[in-house]
């Protein structure tokens, strides 16, 4: 275990440095406050792993404690909403890059990389687009041109400043969807209107606009969490075929939205990440959170005592799987603290999903991840005699 971990770590450092020559491993960047040595980002840097968070631009720069936490603890940031299509193009022909530009600037000032999220998704589309499609004023041919333009404009606007782009998000079928023969969701907005070929085109267009960004396919439950591994297999087969056709796809983002009520097969998760890696792809855990039932949405105290252990355990298992897969470049939590998480608004009665509590205090899961990162961070540090096993 130890040997495998160390070799994975060494190779990971080489991979990351090769991909990001200008990256500052653990420093805060020019003029930025020093990064605490025991922060998640500093510990992650010791094994070449970027530790990240989704960022809410309604809080960054206005909420001091929130802003300090983002700067001190994380080395890669993802805009939770402000790079989505409805945010960057509220009216047809009008672009609003400002909040996203502010995040990219903040990241630059704090030695952080940026995950761009997301260029093609069925959700958070501008209403001018969806209403035009539904009332027939935007034809299929025009829709394809509009998507091409959107991907080109956005990827070009941020050219050279995005480390990983989630080019395509959530187009594969879950067990409750009706799959195409390739396992895509047949009722996905893009698959339905433009066919499966649009996925390859989206990657080609993104690559043309920003040739150096790592281009990812991002989805949830694509590392075994559906129990049968069906969704993983569909993504695996599809992406393998894209690679064989020369489509410029560089990696897979496994979102990592877990719920303690369903259990979690950590070995399956690791094996699936590794399988993507073995295709020659990078991988990343892109939106990690582990939710559970809570007393109420304000306080978010788990209702089961066991959940207080399951929550950090499952989070930690995801991180360790990423650490053990050499191709796993980054591990990102989907938000900073429970008081600002999408979970209570979407899953009634659930919460407690993130690393910090509703008052922005670090939770047991924060310390569990800190410990995981420390353990993987470097060579053995004990003074005892050599065990003879190495
Ligand atoms: O911006 C409007 C604001 O003008 C309005 O006043 C307010 C009233 O409700 O809504 C605001 O928009 C909300 C937006 O977040 C920004 O706060 C939307 O209603 C709300 O639906 C939206 O939720 C986001 C959700 O994606 C939408 O699907 C969550 O914050 C975001 O965390 C979540 O993130 C997704 C990933 O992108 C993809 N993977 C799943 C993940 C969780 O759903």
């Amino acid at each position: 275990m130890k040997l495998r971990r160390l070799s994975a770590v060494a190779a990971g450092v080489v991979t990351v440095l090769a991909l990001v020559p200008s990256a500052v491993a653990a420093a805060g960047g020019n003029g930025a406050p020093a990064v605490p040595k025991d922060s998640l980002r500093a510990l992650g840097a010791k094994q070449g792993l970027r530790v990240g968070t989704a960022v809410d631009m309604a809080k960054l720069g206005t909420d001091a404690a929130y802003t300090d936490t983002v700067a001190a603890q994380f080395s890669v940031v993802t805009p939770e909403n402000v790079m989505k299509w409805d945010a960057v193009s509220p009216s047809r022909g009008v672009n609003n890059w400002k909040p996203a530009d502010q995040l990219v600037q903040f990241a630059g000032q704090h030695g952080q990389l940026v995950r761009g999220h997301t260029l093609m998704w069925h959700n958070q589309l501008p209403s001018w687009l969806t209403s035009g499609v539904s009332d027939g004023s935007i034809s299929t041919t025009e829709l394809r041109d509009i998507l091409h333009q959107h991907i080109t404009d956005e990827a070009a606007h941020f050219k050279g400043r995005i480390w990983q782009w989630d080019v395509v998000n959530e187009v594969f079928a879950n067990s409750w969807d009706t799959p195409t023969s390739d396992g895509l969701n047949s009722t996905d907005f893009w698959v339905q209107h433009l066919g499966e070929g649009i996925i390859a085109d989206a990657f080609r267009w993104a690559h043309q606009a920003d040739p150096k960004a790592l281009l990812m396919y991002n989805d949830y439950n694509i590392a075994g969490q559906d129990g049968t591994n069906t969704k993983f297999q569909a993504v695996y087969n599809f992406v393998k075929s894209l690679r064989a056709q020369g489509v410029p796809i560089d990696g897979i983002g496994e979102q990592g939205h877990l719920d303690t009520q369903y259990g979690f097969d950590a070995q399956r998760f690791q094996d699936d990440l590794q399988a993507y890696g073995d295709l020659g792809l990078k991988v990343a855990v892109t939106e990690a959170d582990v939710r559970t039932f809570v007393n109420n949405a304000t306080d978010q105290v788990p209702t089961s005592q066991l959940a207080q252990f399951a929550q950090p355990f499952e989070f930690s298992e995801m991180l360790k799987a990423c650490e053990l897969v050499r191709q796993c470049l980054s591990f990102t939590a989907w938000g900073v603290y429970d008081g600002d998480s999408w979970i209570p608004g979407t899953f009634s009665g659930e919460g407690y999903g993130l690393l910090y509590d509703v008052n922005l205090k670090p939770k047991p899961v924060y310390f569990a991840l800190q410990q995981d990162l420390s353990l993987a961070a470097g060579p053995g540090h004990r003074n005892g005699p050599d065990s003879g096993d190495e």
Side-chain angles (χ1 to χ4, degrees), residues 112-366:
Q112 297 166 322
L113 300 178
V114 180
R115 298 197 75 263
H117 177 83
T118 173
L119 295 172
M120 184 184 123
W121 188 27
H122 60 263
N123 231 337
Q124 286 168 289
L125 292 170
S127 53
W128 59 262
L129 181 77
T130 48
S131 59
V133 171
S134 53
D135 69 18
S137 60
I138 294 177
S139 69
T140 300
T141 310
E142 194 180 2
L143 179 64
R144 185 184 151 82
D145 291 344
I146 292 171
L147 176 67
H148 186 177
Q149 191 66 49
H150 163 67
I151 291 177
T152 303
D153 286 351
E154 181 150 16
H157 178 82
F158 295 108
K159 182 178 177 184
R161 294 179 293 162
I162 301 294
W163 180 31
Q164 305 172 20
W165 257 120
D166 290 335
V167 176
V168 177
N169 198 46
E170 299 173 10
V171 293
F172 278 82
N174 297 294
S175 54
W176 55 87
D177 298 317
T178 307
T180 67
S181 56
D182 288 333
L184 281 85
N185 180 2
S186 59
T187 61
D188 175 85
F189 180 87
W190 296 108
V191 174
Q192 193 175 22
H193 290 289
L194 299 178
E196 294 186 3
I198 197 60
I199 293 159
D201 284 338
F203 280 95
R204 292 186 185 107
W205 296 334
H207 181 68
Q208 280 161 9
D210 188 355
K212 290 190 180 155
L214 291 176
L215 304 184
M216 318 281 285
Y217 174 69
N218 190 52
D219 206 336
Y220 55 92
N221 291 1
I222 57 169
Q225 304 96 323
D226 57 356
T228 64
N229 226 21
T230 303
K231 199 172 174 188
F232 156 79
Q233 202 58 57
V235 173
Y236 179 90
N237 294 343
F238 195 83
V239 171
K240 188 176 178 189
S241 147
L242 290 183
R243 298 273 291 185
Q245 296 164 51
V247 175
I249 176 168
D250 299 299
I252 298 292
E254 155 57 51
Q255 294 182 0
H257 295 295
L258 302 185
D259 185 329
T260 60
Q261 69 178 311
Y262 302 126
F264 173 56
D265 184 341
Q267 189 61 54
R268 164 67 62 202
F269 186 83
Q270 182 187 329
D271 290 348
D272 285 354
L273 294 187
Q274 188 60 63
Y276 294 127
D278 292 344
L279 283 181
L281 294 160
K282 315 294 178 212
V283 295
V285 178
T286 56
E287 305 184 11
D289 49 28
V290 182
R291 61 186 182 270
T292 194
F293 286 100
V294 293
N295 61 340
N296 61 59
T298 307
D299 302 319
Q300 297 188 39
V301 177
T303 48
S304 148
Q305 286 198 341
L306 282 179
Q308 296 181 25
F309 296 95
Q311 200 270 352
F313 175 76
E314 292 191 7
F315 225 122
S316 161
E317 292 286 289
M318 279 198 284
L319 173 59
K320 284 188 281 193
C322 173
E323 287 182 308
L324 287 162
V325 172
R326 188 173 58 82
Q327 295 86 352
C328 191
L329 300 181
S330 58
F331 184 88
T332 293
W334 198 242
V336 178
Y337 72 112
D338 291 336
D340 189 38
S341 163
W342 69 294
I343 292 168
T346 304
F347 298 97
S348 180
E350 295 191 73
Y352 196 72
L354 293 170
L355 309 183
Y356 291 80
D357 72 9
V358 291
N359 298 311
L360 206 47
K361 295 281 178 291
K363 291 159 56 181
V365 60
Y366 171 88

Side-chain angles (χ1 to χ4, degrees), residues 359-380:
N359 298 311
L360 206 47
K361 295 281 178 291
K363 291 159 56 181
V365 60
Y366 171 88
F367 297 107
L369 300 194
Q370 190 183 43
Q371 190 176 48
D372 293 336
L373 292 165
S374 300
L375 286 167

